[in-house]
Amino acid sequence: MAAARGGRRAVPGGPNVNLATLVRHHITTIAGIEIFYREAGPKEAPVLLLPHGYPCSSYEFRNLMPRLADRWRLIAPDFPGAGYSGTPDDFDYSFDGYAAWLEAFIGALDVDRFALYLHDFGSPIGARLAIRNPSRIVALIIQNGDIPYEDALGPKYADIEATWALPRAEMRKALAQAINEETFREEFLNDLPPPLADTIPPDLWRLHWSLVTPRRKEIAIDLIAGLKENLAWFPEHRKYLREYRPPTLIVWGPNDHYMPEKSARAYLRDLPEAELHLLDGGHWLLETHLNEVTELVRDFLGRVHAVCSIA
């Protein structure tokens, strides 16, 4: 570090550093559970809520958050049983249970209205949260989120659906065999071509695999097995989109075995006014196309909140 005038060293966090744009890391207790979450931006700024996907954590938003923190307050929690949050034995580790917990989380942080980023498993969880109180949703940003359109699912879902015909004990055994570090690596690399795949940091699968305990492996099995029951919830998700038509940005990486281009386009059936952008990436766009996603989100939220301030 260069010395300041007079031989005094510059102090981190000094007058030239905007602390509000740095990501802050918190541990708190929500509904009796120790929770880790990341936050950036001014407390009074419009909120963007960032529920994470599988097999990840709030870590997936670490690079996006400081890039938007000059104008928005970004909040990204680790779900119970994920990341650095606690793993209580008596928690409901289902999409419904996570949605109820997420509602308690935003209540504890005194968040009233917010834009919602839907990615991976964060999509059915966040959508359930939106359905609980649609009036608090300012806008949706959908990025390779688990979709409510069965006919538009990618080919990789066939591997999961094949286990549904098995007796429950055998299904869980088959799913358990697919939860390992190599599978995590495949989840993060997904369908990316080699040049882009080389840009995905191994930190993603090694970090998150290191956080897997025997109990957390059981939780993952429960969630993946729950995709079968989640099919019955698809009509309710579509009804919400169709009836409330929240302003929506769809930004998508089509190199995705689970959610290819047709998955993104399926949303237009119920959100015909949504803005759709297809980028030359895959499931984890924030790792490969951060600049492009940031620009699209900034422009979209800027217009959404300009309308909200006039209304």
Side-chain angles (χ1 to χ4, degrees):
M1 181 183 294
R5 185 175 300 174
R8 299 179 63 184
R9 297 178 68 83
V11 179
N16 294 325
V17 176
N18 184 356
L19 292 178
T21 64
L22 300 179
V23 178
R24 304 179 295 277
H25 306 88
H26 306 291
I27 295 178
T28 187
T29 300
I30 306 292
I33 306 169
E34 185 175 271
I35 295 299
F36 173 88
Y37 70 97
R38 303 169 198 260
E39 182 179 21
K43 294 285 186 181
E44 68 278 4
V47 172
L48 175 58
L49 183 63
L50 301 158
H52 66 80
Y54 171 86
C56 209
S57 65
S58 63
Y59 184 77
E60 72 171 275
F61 299 113
R62 70 198 182 282
N63 296 321
L64 177 68
M65 295 176 72
R67 291 175 175 240
L68 298 173
D70 59 321
R71 294 187 59 186
W72 293 277
R73 178 186 179 192
L74 300 105
I75 304 172
D78 284 354
F79 289 130
Y84 299 127
S85 288
T87 310
D89 290 330
D90 57 352
F91 185 78
D92 177 10
Y93 294 101
S94 68
F95 293 122
D96 288 333
Y98 277 125
W101 175 84
L102 193 56
E103 186 168 44
F105 174 77
I106 62 173
L109 269 61
D110 198 27
V111 172
D112 182 24
R113 301 189 72 222
F114 50 92
L116 184 58
Y117 195 107
L118 302 179
H119 175 245
D120 197 87
F121 277 5
S123 180
I125 295 168
R128 281 167 166 81
L129 176 67
I131 291 170
R132 285 170 173 262
N133 188 346
S135 65
R136 62 188 167 194
I137 303 301
V138 174
L140 298 179
I141 300 168
I142 307 176
Q143 187 256 297
N144 293 75
D146 278 42
I147 65 169
Y149 304 96
E150 186 174 1
D151 63 315
L153 295 171
K156 192 67 173 177
Y157 265 97
D159 295 341
I160 298 174
E161 292 172 351
T163 68
W164 294 348
L166 300 173
R168 187 158 185 84
E170 292 184 27
M171 176 184 72
R172 293 183 63 84
K173 182 178 179 180
L175 292 176
Q177 291 174 344
I179 300 174
N180 53 59
E181 185 175 355
E182 180 56 29
T183 301
F184 275 27
R185 177 180 180 273
E186 293 173 0
E187 291 287 331
F188 286 112
L189 297 180
N190 203 304
D191 193 28
L192 285 176
L196 275 179
D198 292 343
T199 69
I200 299 292
D203 313 56
L204 284 168
W205 60 85
R206 290 181 178 172
L207 166 64
H208 290 94
W209 179 248
S210 74
L211 296 172
V212 173
T213 63
R215 179 69 183 104
R216 287 188 169 190
K217 188 170 184 177
E218 290 297 316
I219 291 167
I221 294 170
D222 289 340
L223 272 177
I224 298 171
L227 290 172
K228 181 178 181 180
E229 288 73 27
N230 194 54
L231 290 176
W233 177 79
F234 280 7
E236 188 174 354
H237 189 172
R238 295 194 299 266
K239 180 182 177 183
Y240 161 75
L241 298 174
R242 185 168 58 251
E243 290 187 357
Y244 290 96
R245 299 281 182 90
T248 302
L249 170 68
I250 304 171
V251 57
W252 211 269
N255 294 308
D256 187 338
H257 280 312
Y258 291 99
M259 302 150 208
E261 179 177 334
K262 66 178 180 179
S263 301
R265 295 191 180 279
Y267 276 105
L268 298 178
R269 303 173 193 175
D270 296 306
L271 294 169
E273 298 175 357
E275 302 176 25
L276 171 61
H277 298 268
L278 297 171
L279 304 182
D280 187 23
H283 193 77
W284 304 91
L285 279 179
L286 298 183
E287 300 297 330
T288 60
H289 291 71
L290 178 64
N291 290 338
E292 293 92 328
V293 174
T294 299
E295 290 177 8
L296 290 168
V297 171
R298 287 187 70 89
D299 175 68
F300 173 71
L301 289 182
R303 287 183 281 114
V304 166
H305 287 114
V307 171
C308 291
S309 64
I310 295 173

